[in-house]
Amino acid sequence: MTKPDTKPDEHKGWRHWFHRNPALNLAYRIGVGVIGGLVLVGGIIMIPYPGPGWLVVFAGLAILATEFEWAGRVLKFAKRYYDRWVEWLKRQPAWVRGLVMAGVCAIVLVTCYFLNVFALVGGWFGVEWSWLQSPIFGSR
């Protein structure tokens, strides 16, 4: 049984409606680019912190991949190398995994320091030590 011939542009569904009008299509692609880009940047920022950083990165790339071919290639590349990293880390001795964890913790602590989190939380408990103040956001 053969499929009936259809033109490539004749897609069923709501996306076809945007393809018919170049201005709407451009606006849609810009919207997808902005939303996907924001999700991607948010995920990249969240990578070193506890939580779903890589999941959000992959979600942002998946959003972008719905309209941009390059994003699909980057998504496949990132997933492949993420999986390789996880498998490599699983094979390492406990001291290597601990060293990676210590590096992640250091990134989190430095970020908290620069964002003035320690001074904020210390203030809740009446601790007003000057070294807790961030050099960037501290209220000196």
Side-chain angles (χ1 to χ4, degrees), residues 72-87:
R73 290 190 305 269
V74 172
L75 178 60
K76 287 178 186 175
F77 174 84
K79 285 168 76 174
R80 184 172 63 246
Y81 280 93
Y82 175 80
D83 290 341
R84 285 183 183 176
W85 163 255
V86 170
E87 289 304 316

Side-chain angles (χ1 to χ4, degrees), residues 70-122:
W70 64 265
R73 290 190 305 269
V74 172
L75 178 60
K76 287 178 186 175
F77 174 84
K79 285 168 76 174
R80 184 172 63 246
Y81 280 93
Y82 175 80
D83 290 341
R84 285 183 183 176
W85 163 255
V86 170
E87 289 304 316
W88 177 84
L89 197 57
K90 285 179 184 177
R91 292 189 309 268
Q92 299 310 305
W95 70 270
V96 172
R97 291 191 307 263
L99 195 59
V100 170
M101 182 61 75
V104 169
C105 288
I107 291 170
V108 171
L109 290 174
V110 167
T111 305
C112 288
Y113 174 69
F114 281 115
L115 293 176
N116 209 34
V117 172
F118 299 130
L120 174 69
V121 174

Side-chain angles (χ1 to χ4, degrees), residues 3 6 11 42 54 67 89 99 110 125 135:
K3 290 184 178 180
T6 59
H11 299 293
W54 281 107
E67 286 300 312
L89 197 57
L99 195 59
V110 167
F125 297 100

Side-chain angles (χ1 to χ4, degrees), residues 51-66:
W54 281 107
L55 179 64
V56 176
V57 167
F58 294 141
L61 285 171
I63 291 168
L64 290 169
T66 63

